[in-house]
Amino acid sequence: MFTQLLDLLRLLQDQTGLAQLTWVNLFMIGVGIIMIYLALVKKYEPFLLVGIGFACVVANVPGSGLTQPGGLFHYAYQGVALLIVPPLIFLGVGALTDFGPLIANPRTLLLGGAAQLGVFATMFCAVAFGIFTLGESASIGIIGGADGPTSIFLANKLAPHLIGPIAVAAYTYMSLVPLIQPPIMRALTTDAERKIRMKSLRKVSKLERIVFPLVVMVLCIMVVPDASALIAMLMLGNVLRESGVVDRLVKACQNEIINVTTIFLGTAVGMTMQAEIFLRSTTLAIIAMGVVAFGLSTVGGVVMAKIMNKLSPNNPVNPLIGSAGVSAVPMAARVSQNVGAEYDPQNYLLMHAMGPNVAGVIGTAVAAGYMISRLSGH
């Protein structure tokens, strides 16, 4: 009886994935479970981390076959590989975002531009290390923009073999905005600067709200045509929102389209986290440089706001809104509001911070388009 039981167990092992299960598979399964925990318990970017973590677990269970050609997750990944999913995410972002604060205070475009410091500084550092190619370095640097879809879009063009760690790093740091940014913001500002109250924003007309995205789209596409898919869909979503005559389409963009696309995006990213692909020294380097890129982008926005105050002391900018120059909409703007409220509970910075926040989305997409145009083939 005991011999028969052993034979049955060996047969079970040989005919299932147990024979192929290794410690690296178990480690990555643990990583997936941690991501699910952070999403469900800590509420860190739950809409994406649940899908990414779940797919990571599935991808590392031997014998699932879901990530192989013909498998379910294989086809889900095609939306990323064919660059369909990132522009659809931008469509939803455009439909959800109010461009009014940026139109009312266009100088906040400078804050969004300054926040690209982390993108380019990290790219040059990665090249200097000699570990990565120019294309790979640019794909790593774009993590500093805190824009997951743009990171995936650029990596797919310049370093498709690094999509997994780059996407995971980008979305992880996006979810950790409330933890990473405040210490940097406090270190770079004085108590008096944090209490600066900005002038009320003027009312923006409907005509301005319609014209602005159209003009920005045309200019961006002419300057960086490689970013046209992202910019065009972002502006289309915003025009639909501001038109006031297509409520059904706006609701679809804000809900069904972006929700379904987010599910496919999360599972597609998670399925790239297979142990043999993910557990490499380059992955650790990407994750480390990603947090540096994100931190430098925060520094760039805050320092630019301080410079603007030196040049225009009669119309000061609260430097805390400079941190919102990264693309994490609207989380980064909320962080600016929350940190400012710690020092002056009656100081409402949220709408002011939305200006650089929107500028950061545009700036990161433009930076990605420029890199694609200059570095394709490197």
Side-chain angles (χ1 to χ4, degrees):
M1 177 66 74
F2 183 71
T3 302
Q4 292 176 332
L5 180 60
L6 287 178
D7 291 338
L8 181 62
L9 291 175
R10 292 193 189 99
L11 181 64
L12 179 64
Q13 181 184 33
D14 293 339
Q15 294 182 348
T16 64
L18 290 174
Q20 291 80 43
L21 188 64
T22 64
W23 72 267
V24 290
N25 293 121
L26 292 173
F27 177 82
M28 290 306 299
I29 289 172
V31 170
I33 292 173
I34 290 173
M35 297 180 77
I36 294 173
Y37 168 80
L38 292 175
L40 299 182
V41 179
K42 298 297 184 179
K43 305 295 189 297
Y44 291 161
E45 203 69 30
F47 288 100
L48 271 165
L49 284 190
V50 170
I52 294 175
F54 187 88
C56 176
V57 172
V58 174
N60 287 283
V61 175
S64 68
L66 293 177
T67 61
Q68 304 301 316
L72 174 63
F73 287 0
H74 169 77
Y75 289 110
Y77 183 74
Q78 298 312 302
V80 173
L82 298 175
L83 298 180
I84 297 172
V85 169
L88 286 178
I89 294 289
F90 263 56
L91 175 68
V93 171
L96 286 164
T97 305
D98 181 8
F99 286 8
L102 178 59
I103 301 171
N105 192 6
R107 63 178 180 153
T108 55
L109 275 169
L110 296 174
L111 301 178
Q116 306 311 309
L117 169 67
V119 173
F120 290 98
T122 304
M123 180 187 76
F124 293 133
C125 287
V127 172
F129 290 153
I131 304 174
F132 301 100
T133 65
L134 273 172
E136 292 170 342
S137 299
S139 301
I140 295 167
I142 206 70
I143 295 172
D147 191 326
T150 301
S151 298
I152 292 172
F153 188 87
L154 180 63
N156 195 61
K157 288 282 190 178
L158 301 182
H161 55 290
L162 296 180
I163 282 183
I166 286 173
V168 170
Y171 280 112
T172 299
Y173 296 137
M174 281 176 64
S175 67
L176 295 177
V177 164
L179 297 179
I180 296 174
Q181 284 197 320
I184 299 174
M185 296 159 68
R186 295 187 186 101
L188 294 175
T189 56
T190 65
D191 190 67
E193 286 175 328
R194 298 180 203 120
K195 294 179 179 179
I196 290 176
R197 293 195 176 189
M198 298 176 62
K199 294 180 179 179
S200 298
L201 296 172
R202 67 174 179 84
K203 185 177 181 180
V204 178
S205 69
K206 183 174 181 178
L207 178 61
E208 289 178 291
R209 291 176 178 273
I210 297 295
V211 171
F212 177 80
L214 293 174
V215 171
V216 172
M217 178 185 68
V218 171
L219 291 176
C220 288
I221 291 176
M222 285 194 297
V223 175
V224 281
D226 288 289
S228 58
L230 297 177
I231 294 294
M233 294 303 280
L234 177 70
M235 299 309 170
L236 172 59
N238 193 253
V239 169
L240 292 175
R241 168 195 171 96
E242 302 299 347
S243 68
V245 295
V246 286
D247 290 346
R248 185 160 53 89
L249 296 182
V250 174
K251 290 178 181 177
C253 293
Q254 293 176 338
N255 295 286
E256 291 83 5
I257 292 176
I258 196 170
N259 289 340
V260 171
T261 307
T262 298
I263 293 173
F264 282 105
L265 177 63
T267 54
V269 171
M271 66 87 65
T272 65
M273 296 177 66
Q274 299 172 52
E276 62 272 17
I277 298 174
F278 205 79
L279 291 181
R280 298 173 179 171
S281 58
T282 53
T283 300
L284 297 177
I286 289 170
I287 293 173
M289 285 189 287
V291 72
V292 172
F294 187 73
L296 288 176
S297 292
T298 303
V299 170
V302 175
V303 171
M304 175 56 74
K306 293 167 72 74
I307 294 173
M308 290 168 64
N309 286 343
K310 293 291 185 182
L311 298 176
S312 181
N314 295 326
N315 187 16
V317 172
N318 190 311
L320 294 178
I321 74 168
S323 65
V326 298
S327 299
V329 179
M331 190 185 301
R334 290 197 188 114
V335 170
S336 298
Q337 166 64 35
N338 293 339
V339 175
E342 292 176 8
Y343 299 90
D344 182 358
Q346 302 303 315
N347 193 6
Y348 299 102
L349 296 175
L350 181 61
M351 292 309 296
H352 295 288
M354 282 302 299
N357 213 181
V358 172
V361 176
I362 299 171
T364 303
V366 169
Y370 174 78
M371 289 174 173
I372 292 169
S373 66
R374 300 291 295 176
L375 301 178
S376 292
H378 289 271

